[in-house]
Short mmCIF file of all heavy atoms in Angstrom, two decimals:
data_model
loop_
_atom_site.label_atom_id
_atom_site.label_comp_id
_atom_site.label_asym_id
_atom_site.label_seq_id
_atom_site.Cartn_x
_atom_site.Cartn_y
_atom_site.Cartn_z
N PHE Y 363 38.15 60.67 -42.09
CA PHE Y 363 38.47 61.31 -43.35
C PHE Y 363 39.85 61.06 -43.83
O PHE Y 363 40.17 60.69 -44.96
CB PHE Y 363 38.19 62.82 -43.24
CG PHE Y 363 38.45 63.63 -44.46
CD1 PHE Y 363 37.37 63.80 -45.39
CD2 PHE Y 363 39.72 64.14 -44.79
CE1 PHE Y 363 37.59 64.53 -46.53
CE2 PHE Y 363 39.94 64.87 -45.94
CZ PHE Y 363 38.92 65.09 -46.83
N ILE Y 364 40.82 61.19 -42.92
CA ILE Y 364 42.22 60.94 -43.27
C ILE Y 364 42.53 59.54 -43.48
O ILE Y 364 43.25 59.17 -44.46
CB ILE Y 364 43.11 61.57 -42.10
CG1 ILE Y 364 42.91 63.06 -41.84
CG2 ILE Y 364 44.59 61.28 -42.41
CD1 ILE Y 364 43.13 63.89 -43.06
N VAL Y 365 42.00 58.64 -42.65
CA VAL Y 365 42.31 57.20 -42.75
C VAL Y 365 41.75 56.70 -44.12
O VAL Y 365 42.54 56.01 -44.91
CB VAL Y 365 41.69 56.42 -41.66
CG1 VAL Y 365 41.77 54.94 -41.88
CG2 VAL Y 365 42.30 56.79 -40.32
N THR Y 366 40.58 57.07 -44.45
CA THR Y 366 40.01 56.58 -45.74
C THR Y 366 40.50 57.31 -46.96
O THR Y 366 40.54 56.75 -48.05
CB THR Y 366 38.39 56.62 -45.66
OG1 THR Y 366 38.06 57.96 -45.44
CG2 THR Y 366 37.92 55.76 -44.59
N LEU Y 367 40.92 58.54 -46.77
CA LEU Y 367 41.61 59.25 -47.86
C LEU Y 367 42.91 58.55 -48.18
O LEU Y 367 43.31 58.34 -49.33
CB LEU Y 367 41.85 60.72 -47.52
CG LEU Y 367 42.52 61.56 -48.57
CD1 LEU Y 367 41.85 61.56 -49.84
CD2 LEU Y 367 42.78 63.00 -48.01
N GLY Y 368 43.63 58.19 -47.17
CA GLY Y 368 44.88 57.44 -47.27
C GLY Y 368 44.62 56.03 -47.96
O GLY Y 368 45.32 55.64 -48.85
N GLY Y 369 43.46 55.43 -47.49
CA GLY Y 369 43.05 54.15 -48.09
C GLY Y 369 42.74 54.24 -49.59
O GLY Y 369 43.00 53.37 -50.33
N LEU Y 370 42.12 55.40 -49.95
CA LEU Y 370 41.84 55.65 -51.37
C LEU Y 370 43.09 55.57 -52.21
O LEU Y 370 43.05 54.96 -53.28
CB LEU Y 370 41.13 56.98 -51.48
CG LEU Y 370 40.69 57.48 -52.87
CD1 LEU Y 370 39.50 58.38 -52.76
CD2 LEU Y 370 41.78 58.13 -53.61
N LEU Y 371 44.18 56.18 -51.68
CA LEU Y 371 45.39 56.18 -52.42
C LEU Y 371 46.11 54.87 -52.33
O LEU Y 371 46.66 54.28 -53.36
CB LEU Y 371 46.31 57.25 -51.91
CG LEU Y 371 45.71 58.73 -51.96
CD1 LEU Y 371 46.59 59.64 -51.24
CD2 LEU Y 371 45.52 59.14 -53.43
N VAL Y 372 46.21 54.25 -51.15
CA VAL Y 372 46.89 53.04 -50.93
C VAL Y 372 46.37 51.89 -51.75
O VAL Y 372 47.09 51.16 -52.46
CB VAL Y 372 46.90 52.65 -49.40
CG1 VAL Y 372 47.42 51.20 -49.22
CG2 VAL Y 372 47.81 53.63 -48.64
N TRP Y 373 45.07 51.67 -51.62
CA TRP Y 373 44.41 50.49 -52.27
C TRP Y 373 44.31 50.66 -53.83
O TRP Y 373 44.28 49.71 -54.52
CB TRP Y 373 43.05 50.23 -51.74
CG TRP Y 373 43.17 49.96 -50.19
CD1 TRP Y 373 42.63 50.70 -49.21
CD2 TRP Y 373 43.96 48.96 -49.49
NE1 TRP Y 373 42.98 50.27 -47.96
CE2 TRP Y 373 43.82 49.16 -48.14
CE3 TRP Y 373 44.74 47.90 -50.02
CZ2 TRP Y 373 44.47 48.37 -47.21
CZ3 TRP Y 373 45.35 47.12 -49.09
CH2 TRP Y 373 45.22 47.30 -47.66
N ARG Y 374 44.23 51.91 -54.28
CA ARG Y 374 44.28 52.20 -55.67
C ARG Y 374 45.62 51.83 -56.26
O ARG Y 374 45.84 51.22 -57.30
CB ARG Y 374 43.94 53.60 -56.00
CG ARG Y 374 43.90 54.00 -57.46
CD ARG Y 374 42.92 53.17 -58.25
NE ARG Y 374 41.55 53.36 -57.83
CZ ARG Y 374 40.47 52.63 -58.15
NH1 ARG Y 374 40.68 51.61 -58.98
NH2 ARG Y 374 39.26 52.88 -57.68
N GLY Y 375 46.72 52.18 -55.49
CA GLY Y 375 48.06 51.85 -55.90
C GLY Y 375 48.23 50.28 -55.77
O GLY Y 375 48.92 49.78 -56.68
N ALA Y 376 47.77 49.72 -54.76
CA ALA Y 376 47.90 48.24 -54.58
C ALA Y 376 47.21 47.51 -55.71
O ALA Y 376 47.70 46.40 -56.10
CB ALA Y 376 47.30 47.86 -53.21
N THR Y 377 46.14 48.09 -56.22
CA THR Y 377 45.43 47.44 -57.33
C THR Y 377 46.35 47.29 -58.58
O THR Y 377 46.40 46.30 -59.21
CB THR Y 377 44.14 48.21 -57.73
OG1 THR Y 377 43.30 48.31 -56.59
CG2 THR Y 377 43.39 47.51 -58.88
N TRP Y 378 47.13 48.31 -58.78
CA TRP Y 378 48.06 48.35 -59.93
C TRP Y 378 49.20 47.33 -59.67
O TRP Y 378 49.57 46.55 -60.58
CB TRP Y 378 48.70 49.70 -60.11
CG TRP Y 378 49.51 49.85 -61.32
CD1 TRP Y 378 49.05 50.27 -62.58
CD2 TRP Y 378 50.90 49.57 -61.48
NE1 TRP Y 378 50.05 50.26 -63.46
CE2 TRP Y 378 51.22 49.85 -62.77
CE3 TRP Y 378 51.94 49.15 -60.56
CZ2 TRP Y 378 52.54 49.66 -63.34
CZ3 TRP Y 378 53.18 48.96 -61.14
CH2 TRP Y 378 53.51 49.23 -62.45
N PHE Y 379 49.69 47.20 -58.42
CA PHE Y 379 50.79 46.35 -58.18
C PHE Y 379 50.42 44.80 -58.24
O PHE Y 379 51.30 43.95 -58.45
CB PHE Y 379 51.39 46.63 -56.79
CG PHE Y 379 52.35 47.74 -56.80
CD1 PHE Y 379 52.09 48.96 -56.31
CD2 PHE Y 379 53.64 47.54 -57.42
CE1 PHE Y 379 53.04 50.00 -56.34
CE2 PHE Y 379 54.59 48.56 -57.47
CZ PHE Y 379 54.27 49.81 -56.91
#
Side-chain angles (χ1 to χ4, degrees):
F363 181 89
I364 299 301
V365 173
T366 57
L367 178 60
L370 181 151
L371 301 172
V372 168
W373 304 116
R374 183 58 63 189
T377 302
W378 189 91
F379 274 108

